[in-house]
Structures are given as structure tokens and as C-alpha cells.
Amino acid sequence: MLMTILDGSIVTVAMPALQGDLGFTPGGLSWVVNAYLIAFGSLLLLAGRLGDLIGRKRMFLAGTGIFTAASLLAGVAASPGVLIAARFLQGVGSAMSSAVGLGILVTLFTVPRERARAIAVFSFTGAAGASLGQVLGGILTDALAWNWIFFINLPIGLATLLVALRALPSDQGIGLGAGADVLGAVLVTTGLMTGIYAVVKIEEYGAASAHTLGLGALALALLTGFLVRQAKTANPLMPLRILRSRSVSGANAVQMLMVAALFSFQILVALYLQKVLGYGAAETGLAMLPAAAVIGAVSLGVSARLIARFGERNVLLTGLVLLVGVLGLLARVPVHASYVTDLLPVMLLAAGFGLALPALTSLAMSGAEEKDAGLASGLFNTTQQIGMALGVAVLSTLAATRTESLTAAGRPAAEALTGGYHLAFAVGAGLLLAALAVAFTVLRHPGKPGTPGTPQRTAKDRKTKSPATMAA
């Protein structure tokens, strides 16, 4: 998890160095991100289900191995084509390992309180990866070379493989016969790949262009065909029963909106610091470090206890309110901002993400049966990637359009850039308000605190340890 998330954020800081050394065109440079995103986002659902069928441990190990090997290829790449191919393979490996990660976790930790703690650690690791990526991307690129942003994955990947081989229990899966729907796999993978490609190219072609609308319609038709197929086939790739759970469907909807909104925090704040305030790559990473620290502290040290006491829904709502405050403050950030008075409060309010993500993860996994754990994990990761792609496309396009308008009106460059970011932050705040509304209405039956669809421990349970505890 650390390696996958770190890789997604570490690349963004090193983009100028990649362009200079490998000779990327401005349009080609975007494919360093897009190739990874398209492969990752389109294969998550399929990989999650295959993990249920052939064994989640097998899928996790294979994905980690592919990602690690692809990182080596990316680090030695001497041309744009090789780097883009390596990034696509990284996306394939990430999809395979990430899709089953949560499924492995929830089947190991079955006791509610233990599961809440495990999900808190899982969420903390993701937050740490995003934050380390920002810091390490600048430091490694400035001190060594861009190649090291990929080489850093090698020791992490090898260590993960060695530990996972011994620590993860073997599982045989339920067998390919329980869901070997080849046509369904083709429909969903092609549909997601087409849709994500259409979204990431919105900034280039425009939201109302024939390119975007045509590919969007094709993706919608493919995904509709997939759902129809799943409702009728005897062995569906994605049994539709998983979507009948209010926790699963509601949590995935909330996540898509939340992740789309928070793109403006992770990426546009970094651009604001560099392009408006003149920070360097390493300075930008360090400036965002307080956000990482509070997210990590809250997700690891506080969230599980709050969830056990107040329930996932209440903790989620509190986290979303704090995040609305983050983007609300950013929508008013001045051109000549002081870090201490204007930006540090924003970084500290980012603690809301440390509350929201563990609660959301627990809710999304709570309605899935053990045989569907990989599928639920893949679905949760898929909506995360779709939300990210939408955030990148919509908010960056809005910011760029607003900046161009202000520049044409004669505003100074820094003021025009800030005005564009203001619009993106305001729209992001609106998306978070929509997420808050969905969480409040759809997730209105949260159950008892600390019991996300999982039975309470019986007297017999209290006398014995969970399988995960015994394995540890």
C-alpha cells in the first residue's frame, strides 16, 4: 500500500526533470501519469474478483512482483516510450496487489475492534505514502536524479514479497467456475479503460467535445452491457448482490466525491506553492508535511477508538465537515500568503481525512461476504481511481480556464493563477458537501457503534483470539 500510493504522488514532483532528460513533449508528458492511471483504474475490479476466485495471496504476490519489476524498468528507461510502457505495467501490478489488499485484511481481522484498528493502520499507510511521495519526490530529484523515484520501490517491493510469503495465510479461492465470466471481464475492463481515458483527456479536448462525449457514451454502453450481463449470467464476475448493501454502495459514492474534491488539495496546493509563492520541489513537500503528520496521527491513533465509541457514520460525517473547512479556507487564500497564518491552519484541518478514510473503508467492506471480499476491495479502489481521474480532469480544467480568462483581462500572472485555484477549491468544497449529503442520507442506518455489519463478539469469542491475532 505504501509503495503504490507513494508511486502515485512521487512522480508529480519530478515531472519537469522527466521532460528535460527524456525529451517528452508537453502532451506526451501527461502519459507518465495517464498510462499508470488507465491500467490501474480499469483492472482493479477484475483483479479483485480474480483474487476471490484463484486466491487473494496469489494475486497479491503476483501484482507486487510485476510492480517491482516495472519500477526497475522505469528507472532505467532512456526514452519516453519505454517509460510510458513501464508506467502501464506498474499500473497493472498495482491493480493486482491493491485490489485484494483490503479483502485480505477484512478476512484476517473478523472481530470489530481489531478490524477497526487494522483499517486505521491501512489508512495511515496510504496517507504516509502520499505524503512521503511529495517529500521524497523533491529530495530525490534534486539530490540524485529522477530515476531514483522509481528505484526506491525496489527495496520496498522485495521486502513486501519476503514478508508476505511467510505472513499471509494461503487461500485457494472459490474456483474459476464460480465466476469465470470472460465476456463480462472484457466488457468491464474495456468500459473502464475507455471511460478513464476519456476523463483524463478532458483537459486537452474539452468536456463538450465530440472526443469526450463519444468515448464517454461508448464507455457507458460497455458498462451498461456489463451490468446487464451480470444480472443474467449464471456465474457473474461481479454478483450484483454486493451493490444492494447501503453501506457498500453509499460508501463508494461518498469516496468518489471525496477523492475528486481532495485532488485539489493534493495537487493544486502544490502547484500554488510552487507557481505563486515560488517554493522549490523539496520546500513544497516539507510545507505539506504537517498535513501528512496530522492525517497519520489521527488515522493511526484516534480513528479506531472514535469509531468504536461513536460509529463509522458519525466519524465519517465529522471528517467530511473538517475537509469542507480545508477547501473553504483555500478558496480564499491570498496571492501573497503567509504560511503560518494562511496555510498551516489548512494543513492541520486535513486531519479530517484521517477520520473520514478509515470510517469509509470500514463501511465499504462491511456489507461484503467473505467470498466477495476481493471484489468489494477492488470496487472500493476502482471508485477511488475514478474519483481521482474526475478530480484531475474537471478541477484542473476549471482552474486553467479561469486563469486564462483572468490573464486575458489583464490580471498579473500570480493573481490569475490564484484565481483559477480559488475556483477549483470552491468546486471541490461543493463536491465535499455533496459527499456529506450522501453520507447523511444513504448511510442513515449505521448500526451500533463499532459494528459495521459485523456481528458482535459472543461470550465464546471473548475467550478466544481471532485468526489474525493467533497468526501474529
Side-chain angles (χ1 to χ4, degrees), residues 281-299:
E283 287 178 298
T284 299
L286 292 173
M288 299 185 72
L289 196 56
V294 295
I295 291 171
V298 170
S299 61

Side-chain angles (χ1 to χ4, degrees), residues 14-43:
M15 296 284 269
L18 288 170
Q19 184 173 15
D21 282 4
L22 295 183
F24 274 99
T25 63
L29 186 64
S30 66
W31 281 99
V32 175
V33 174
N34 292 344
Y36 178 87
L37 185 61
I38 289 171
F40 187 35
S42 61
L43 292 172

Side-chain angles (χ1 to χ4, degrees), residues 142-326:
D142 289 347
L144 297 172
W146 63 262
N147 314 71
W148 286 92
I149 67 174
F150 299 114
F151 289 151
I152 196 174
N153 292 328
L154 302 183
I156 302 175
L158 291 174
T160 301
L161 287 169
L162 290 173
V163 173
L165 278 168
R166 296 187 62 184
L168 295 183
S170 297
D171 60 313
Q172 298 302 313
I174 59 177
L176 286 173
D181 180 13
V182 176
L183 178 58
V186 171
L187 286 171
V188 71
T189 304
T190 308
L192 287 171
M193 193 171 289
T194 304
I196 293 172
Y197 174 76
V199 168
V200 299
K201 301 300 284 184
I202 284 177
E203 188 173 1
E204 179 179 344
Y205 289 97
S209 67
H211 180 276
T212 301
L213 294 178
L215 287 178
L218 176 60
L220 185 61
L222 289 168
L223 293 175
T224 301
F226 168 72
L227 292 175
V228 171
R229 166 90 180 161
Q230 301 314 287
K232 293 182 177 180
T233 187
N235 294 313
L237 181 72
M238 186 182 81
L240 297 183
R241 62 176 178 269
I242 194 171
L243 298 178
R244 298 192 190 105
S245 166
R246 295 174 70 92
S247 294
V248 173
S249 56
N252 277 281
V254 170
Q255 178 181 231
M256 191 180 299
L257 292 166
M258 184 179 78
V259 170
L262 291 180
F263 158 77
S264 63
F265 176 77
Q266 183 180 352
I267 304 299
L268 295 185
V269 169
L271 291 175
Y272 167 78
L273 290 171
Q274 294 185 46
K275 293 188 175 183
V276 177
L277 299 186
Y279 285 31
E283 287 178 298
T284 299
L286 292 173
M288 299 185 72
L289 196 56
V294 295
I295 291 171
V298 170
S299 61
L300 189 60
V302 179
S303 64
R305 290 197 294 270
L306 292 177
I307 287 172
R309 182 170 182 180
F310 300 107
E312 289 84 357
R313 178 178 181 265
N314 292 330
V315 173
L316 172 61
L317 292 173
T318 303
L320 289 173
V321 168
L322 292 176
L323 292 175
V324 170
V326 168

Side-chain angles (χ1 to χ4, degrees), residues 16-163:
L18 288 170
Q19 184 173 15
D21 282 4
L22 295 183
F24 274 99
T25 63
L29 186 64
S30 66
W31 281 99
V32 175
V33 174
N34 292 344
Y36 178 87
L37 185 61
I38 289 171
F40 187 35
S42 61
L43 292 172
L44 280 164
L45 196 63
L46 175 60
R49 187 54 176 167
L50 285 177
D52 291 331
L53 300 178
I54 66 173
R56 288 182 281 272
K57 180 177 180 178
R58 290 194 187 98
M59 184 63 69
F60 181 84
L61 292 173
T64 303
I66 290 172
F67 182 90
T68 306
S71 296
L72 176 61
L73 179 62
V76 300
S79 67
V82 173
L83 182 58
I84 290 171
R87 290 289 288 163
F88 186 88
L89 287 175
Q90 278 189 311
V92 173
S94 286
M96 294 170 67
S97 58
S98 299
V100 295
L102 274 174
I104 291 172
L105 186 149
V106 299
T107 53
L108 281 177
F109 295 90
T110 56
V111 177
R113 188 175 294 274
E114 289 182 355
R115 179 180 289 185
R117 286 200 298 268
I119 287 176
V121 173
F122 186 86
S123 301
F124 163 77
T125 311
S131 307
L132 282 173
Q134 295 284 348
V135 177
L136 286 175
I139 292 174
L140 292 175
T141 303
D142 289 347
L144 297 172
W146 63 262
N147 314 71
W148 286 92
I149 67 174
F150 299 114
F151 289 151
I152 196 174
N153 292 328
L154 302 183
I156 302 175
L158 291 174
T160 301
L161 287 169
L162 290 173
V163 173

Side-chain angles (χ1 to χ4, degrees), residues 1-6 60 98 122-123 125-127 129 357 381 384:
M1 180 66 171
L2 174 75
M3 183 170 64
T4 299
I5 301 297
L6 183 148
F60 181 84
S98 299
F122 186 86
S123 301
T125 311
L357 186 58
N381 282 286
Q384 186 178 84

